Every structure is written in C-alpha cells, then in structure tokens.
Amino acid sequence: MAQAAPAPGGMHRGTTAPALGGRDATARHRPPDVFDERTHAIARWVLPIVLGLIYGYWAAANTRYGGPITGWNVFFGVATGVVFFAVFRALEFFAARCRREVHAVLWAAFTGIAIGFLYSLSGRGHGVWESTVLALAVAVPTFAVLFYRYYTHEDAAGRRIR
C-alpha cells in the first residue's frame, strides 16, 4: 500500500507541527478544518431549505391519501415547508444562545412536534393521544442524545469548548 503516513500533529491550519519528541501535554487536539466559513454559511441556509422542502412534500403527500394532487394540497405543502424552514432557522438562532439544557429541550421538542404532526396527517384515524405518544417517543431520545452532545462540547454557559 502506498498511502502517506499522517503528519505529526494532524492537519491544522495556521499551526505548526510539534517537535518530533512528542506533543505538548497542555495542547488540546482539534479536528482538521475541512470546510471554510463560506461553505458553513451556505450550509446554514441550504440545509433548512432542503429539509423544509422535504417536510412540506411529505405533509402534502400525507394529506392526499393517495388521491389526485390539488391546488390546496400544493399550497398546504408549500405553507408547511415555509413554516418548518422559519421555525428551524429561528431555533438555529435562539437555541444556540441558550443553556445546554434548554438548547437540547428546544431541538427535541421541535423534532417531536414535527414527527407527531406528520403522523397525525397520515389519515389512518390517529388521535391526538397517539400522535402525542409518538412525538414523546421521538423527543425523549432526541433530548438525551443532544443533551449528551451539548454537555460534552459546551461549558455551563453554553459556549463551545475549543
């Protein structure tokens, strides 16, 4: 195999590799910088747009119940996608400024409500209780995963640990 061996210190922009004797014990390991700020700025807009389109299409398909596509059905899908996009962007803005507990609760509630809403539209006679139970079944593990992530990657004030 003819792959190159990794360089000591990894791929860091703007830093020099440590001496061959080893690394500084106080230095923190950073993952490599793969994308620049421009790419992240574009992704902050593209991801909610794509997810809003998918969510709106899914909601519109659920309300058709296999029937023909109507103007109201298309309007419902577009409106649902726009609301999903707006709430997603608002959460990106406000949740990141909250403490890690609230941050995780907001994203978990958004995820649970979104799934519960789609389930209630599926047309199989699902009641409010069934939709609520499914929303909670999705939101609780989502909260656990996000809280763990924020707890291990942020300090108590919500600032990312670098």
Side-chain angles (χ1 to χ4, degrees):
M1 296 195 198
Q3 286 103 4
M11 298 172 44
H12 300 294
R13 289 185 184 172
T15 61
T16 59
L20 285 175
R23 295 184 184 185
D24 181 14
T26 61
R28 294 186 63 95
H29 175 70
R30 280 187 351 161
D33 293 330
V34 179
F35 300 113
D36 61 352
E37 279 300 315
R38 181 175 175 267
T39 305
H40 285 286
I42 291 170
R44 275 192 284 282
W45 283 98
V46 171
L47 179 68
I49 290 171
V50 169
L51 290 177
L53 288 171
I54 292 170
Y55 191 83
Y57 173 76
W58 195 343
N62 280 354
T63 59
R64 284 192 308 120
Y65 310 120
I69 297 174
T70 64
W72 287 111
N73 182 255
V74 171
F75 174 74
F76 180 77
V78 169
T80 305
V82 167
V83 169
F84 183 92
F85 168 79
V87 173
F88 190 99
R89 285 295 293 167
L91 271 177
E92 278 185 327
F93 181 78
F94 291 113
R97 287 155 176 77
C98 297
R99 293 180 50 120
R100 57 186 169 213
E101 297 86 2
V102 178
H103 192 174
V105 165
L106 288 174
W107 279 109
F110 174 69
T111 305
I113 291 168
I115 296 296
F117 179 69
L118 287 178
Y119 185 70
S120 71
L121 293 176
S122 64
R124 303 194 191 274
H126 302 299
V128 173
W129 289 112
E130 291 175 358
S131 299
T132 304
V133 167
L134 179 67
L136 286 173
V138 170
V140 168
T142 302
F143 169 76
V145 169
L146 290 176
F147 179 76
Y148 175 77
R149 186 202 184 279
Y150 299 143
Y151 189 79
T152 58
H153 289 77
E154 295 178 353
D155 63 5
R159 294 181 299 269
R160 288 191 178 171
I161 299 172
R162 300 227 184 241

